[in-house]
Amino acid sequence: MITAPKGTHDILPGDAERWQRLEEAARAVLGRYGYGEIRTPMFESTELFAKGVGQATDIVGKEMYTFADKKDRSLSLRPEGTAAVVRAVLEGRLYDGQGTLRLYYLGPMFRYERMQKGRQRQFHQLGVEVFGPASPELDAEVIDALMAFLGALGIEGSQLLVNSIGDGACRPVYRERLTAFIDSIADRLCEECLRRKETNPLRVLDCKNPACIAATAAAPSILDALCEPCARHFAAVCRALEVYGLAYRVEPRLVRGLDYYMRTTFEVVHGNLGAQNALGGGGRYDGLSELLGGPHLPGVGWAAGIERLLLTVPPPAAAAGVDTAVVAVGEAPMLKALALAQKLRQRGESVVMDFKGTSFKAQMKAANKCRARRALILGEDELQGGVVTVKDLASGEQRTIKEDEL
Ligand code: AMP
């Protein structure tokens, strides 16, 4: 038996309908904010992620599925969406230098991670990226779209965390301050954090290890280190969130794992998820376009994990079955039934037939199993009389009608 690769899973009928409903909700909600869909390739040149996400991140440093193609080009399965979307915007000149470009994507991402509840190696993200204005009110609108989407899914009890991680002017100062603090508690930190201290000390605040969380409890807050423009930006984001009526908590430890964020960062967490409690998150990345060789192009976005959303949404009502199950006993009735089923389908009905050639009783059982609303019964008697019997499977009520009245 060949099994699915570790960290992947099949989305089976029954479950797939839940995915479809989530995708419909995403399209409906994001449509109301003026987003258009973008679909980028599943793989990109490795360099894109090395530059655009950062070699020092776990995602690029440890988790990418990287391979050489037949011409020895280094390619990687995409581990996240933002770098690829920015690449596509620059390559396709999608942004005309004016106004606001709002894009969303939905699809699989790949990270070679340790498996856990809510953590796979192939997982799916819904994400948005907005380009143009560097306005704090846009940050709030982007967050509002995420919260509206969660609302449309019926997800309750999630918590919005927001923070600012400053910019090129104030973050280096904070970094130094934080590094000095980390040095003073270094003997209490995990190996990983000691490495992070060298590559990106802010990420020490991101560590999930309880000992590291305790050791860094008294770390200096980035919010005390923000320069004037960053502080003003953050205050304006919070003010706009209040206008939107969104409850939030300022979380100075929220630095997020990716190097390209600046100023606003945010995350939505949910208590039902265990250790991997983030439903989604994002932030502002005004420098990413230039990092990838493009012009200055401010951007802000988020990504949410679909598997985790589906772990959180309330269980759906029993899925609807088909409209009609055809029950035909005998060869001639069966052939007649083929034509009737086709006619009904052409009129938009969903119709199934059981081709096992089994008894009336077995076929009725199959009709119930697929939760058909009604059975269309056709035996030799019906065929002779030019009629069909229609049975309502919920009420049990049954009547015989002329075939052309069907
Ligand atoms: P990130 O791109 O790391 O900011 O992740 C955004 C969201 O994607 C997270 O909040 C999760 O909901 C989801 N996510 C990230 N990594 C995984 C994974 N390995 N498995 C499942 N979901 C994930």
Side-chain angles (χ1 to χ4, degrees), residues 188-267:
R188 296 165 62 196
L189 297 178
C190 70
E191 289 280 311
E192 190 62 30
C193 278
L194 294 177
R195 252 196 307 278
R196 285 176 183 146
K197 182 181 87 101
E198 304 304 325
T199 52
N200 185 354
L202 266 71
R203 290 215 42 228
V204 172
L205 301 177
D206 220 9
C207 184
K208 301 283 184 278
N209 186 331
C212 298
I213 294 175
T216 55
S221 164
I222 181 132
L223 294 175
D224 298 331
L226 295 182
C227 59
E228 225 282 301
C230 284
R232 235 181 312 122
H233 187 101
F234 188 55
V237 171
C238 294
R239 185 184 58 191
L241 291 177
E242 274 148 34
V243 173
Y244 281 123
L246 296 176
Y248 64 90
R249 184 161 64 89
V250 175
E251 175 49 76
R253 295 176 67 98
L254 179 66
V255 292
R256 300 197 40 84
L258 308 178
D259 284 348
Y260 53 63
Y261 286 111
M262 61 174 289
R263 291 195 169 163
T264 315
T265 60
F266 54 92
E267 194 161 80

Side-chain angles (χ1 to χ4, degrees), residues 111 113 118-120 123 125 256 278-280 303-305 308:
R111 296 181 194 174
E113 291 198 270
R119 193 155 80 178
Q120 294 87 239
F123 61 100
Q125 283 186 340
R256 300 197 40 84
L279 284 176
R308 286 194 206 168

Side-chain angles (χ1 to χ4, degrees), residues 47-48 51-52 83 86-87 89-91 93 286-297:
E47 193 192 354
L48 174 70
K51 270 195 179 158
V86 174
R87 195 242 343 113
V89 167
L90 297 177
E91 190 173 337
R93 297 177 195 280
D286 294 354
L288 183 55
S289 166
E290 283 153 298
L291 204 63
L292 297 178
H296 179 66
L297 179 56

Side-chain angles (χ1 to χ4, degrees), residues 360-389:
F360 172 77
K361 207 171 142 199
Q363 288 189 53
M364 284 303 285
K365 217 167 142 186
N368 279 307
K369 194 162 171 220
C370 64
R371 296 184 318 280
R373 280 200 296 136
R374 65 177 96 83
L376 191 73
I377 301 163
L378 203 68
E380 291 294 348
D381 290 349
E382 277 92 355
L383 196 66
Q384 296 304 321
V387 296
V388 290
T389 298

